[in-house]
Amino acid sequence: MAGTTDGSTKPVAQRLLATATRLFAEQGYDRTSVQEIVEAAGVTKGALYHYFGSKDDLLHEVYGRVLRLQQERLDRFAGADAPVEQRLRDAAADVVVTTIENLDDTKIFFRSMHQLSPEKDKQVRAERRRYHERFRALIEEGQHAGVFTTEVPADLIVDYHFGSVHHLGTWYREGGPLTPREVADHLADLLLRALRP
């Protein structure tokens, strides 16, 4: 019996999250009600509140799952046994690809982030800061080793790259002239060019 409960628990939460993501993308976070989410997911409000304490929690999770994936992958790239230039390039390209692969999630988040509760907003900012600090540490490692220029502050380089990443939702279209990997390669190459001594 316990196996059945565990097996059915995950799909309900995933269904709620997928439904909320679709509705937030189609009509906006502020114009989507909890009632619409539960009806479209085919569950009760009780089920939603069992997995997510509020609509705010759903919004937080939409972005949180992408950020957790990106953090895990960045940690793997940063800790790899490879030259710092390769590790940074891999990390810079990966954040572009994973953002494009989860474009609805990131578009929803950047459109609706200001509607998070102060507590959730603070949590998200801390999670993003941790990611950016890990990325910046790669740049600083290369700067200390003399591989990257020190003429441009590492913080500015991080802002430059992530400014490009955060704007992908405004212009990238599936089926356009560039694949996600090609966009990622171009942006990673631009980053490395900016860092050349």
Side-chain angles (χ1 to χ4, degrees):
M1 191 65 100
T4 305
T5 304
D6 290 343
S8 64
T9 298
K10 198 171 180 186
V12 172
Q14 287 176 342
R15 194 162 72 235
L16 280 163
L17 197 53
T19 302
T21 301
R22 180 176 55 77
L23 291 172
F24 293 165
E26 288 172 3
Q27 44 190 66
Y29 171 80
D30 54 338
R31 291 186 301 281
T32 302
S33 70
V34 167
Q35 188 62 39
E36 287 175 294
I37 294 167
V38 297
E39 284 177 8
V43 301
T44 63
K45 277 189 183 177
L48 183 142
Y49 291 125
H50 175 74
Y51 298 106
F52 304 97
S54 64
K55 193 171 89 163
D56 190 53
D57 286 345
L58 276 167
L59 177 61
H60 181 254
E61 183 57 24
V62 164
Y63 187 63
R65 64 184 171 181
V66 178
L67 193 54
R68 282 191 301 275
L69 167 74
Q70 290 175 331
Q71 184 70 58
E72 179 184 306
R73 293 173 65 89
L74 173 60
D75 288 342
R76 198 169 345 133
F77 288 122
D81 184 21
V84 67
E85 192 171 8
Q86 185 61 52
R87 287 182 283 136
L88 179 63
R89 190 190 189 289
D90 290 345
D94 185 72
V95 73
V96 174
V97 171
T98 54
T99 296
I100 290 173
E101 287 174 347
N102 298 281
L103 210 49
D104 274 350
D105 297 37
T106 50
K107 279 197 284 193
I108 290 164
F109 185 77
F110 285 113
R111 246 188 351 230
S112 308
M113 178 181 170
H114 65 283
Q115 296 178 8
L116 283 173
S117 68
E119 179 187 322
K120 287 274 191 290
D121 181 65
K122 185 177 176 183
Q123 187 179 345
V124 166
R125 288 180 190 282
E127 291 163 358
R128 284 179 64 197
R129 188 168 43 255
R130 179 175 173 254
Y131 184 93
H132 287 195
E133 285 171 357
R134 183 78 157 133
F135 194 90
R136 186 184 66 225
L138 279 172
I139 295 170
E140 290 172 339
E141 180 187 336
Q143 288 176 326
H144 293 309
V147 177
F148 302 146
T149 182
T150 56
E151 289 181 21
V152 182
D155 282 336
L156 191 57
I157 297 288
V158 170
D159 289 343
Y160 164 77
H161 187 67
F162 285 99
S164 300
V165 172
H166 295 161
H167 281 94
L168 286 167
T170 63
W171 66 267
Y172 182 82
R173 297 292 173 264
E174 191 176 342
L178 296 173
T179 67
R181 186 77 237 177
E182 288 170 333
V183 173
D185 287 340
H186 285 308
L187 291 179
D189 287 343
L190 284 169
L191 175 69
L192 288 176
R193 270 187 226 127
L195 283 166
R196 284 197 188 121

